[in-house]
Amino acid sequence: VVGVIATLALYFAVHTLFATSHLRRWGPLRLEVPELSSVRPTALAIMVTALVLVFRLRWSIPRTLLVCAGLGLAAALIGLPVT
């Protein structure tokens, strides 16, 4: 179960923070490697905010999710690229 959660977390992180990625294969291992030049700055800023709120300020997960959802909505409303 832990492996499934970790795999999903990495998958969503790569596809949320980067616009493009490439699948690399090393034998039976398949690894999705993001293209670093395709970073999405708005998503990165929201992720850093979430990390600070959870790990530095010790906010609860629901409270942090509400703040980050609000930041994403505000970014979309003012026209920042969020996807």
Side-chain angles (χ1 to χ4, degrees), residues 17-61:
L17 294 175
F18 300 95
T20 59
S21 62
H22 305 285
L23 187 63
R24 305 279 185 191
R25 293 178 188 233
W26 291 288
L29 180 65
R30 295 183 319 166
L31 184 64
E32 189 119 17
V33 179
E35 189 174 314
L36 297 179
S37 64
S38 70
V39 69
R40 295 179 174 149
T42 306
L44 184 64
I46 292 173
M47 182 202 69
V48 169
T49 301
L51 288 172
V52 168
L53 292 176
V54 170
F55 293 112
R56 187 77 170 163
L57 301 177
R58 306 277 186 212
W59 279 25
S60 67
I61 298 300

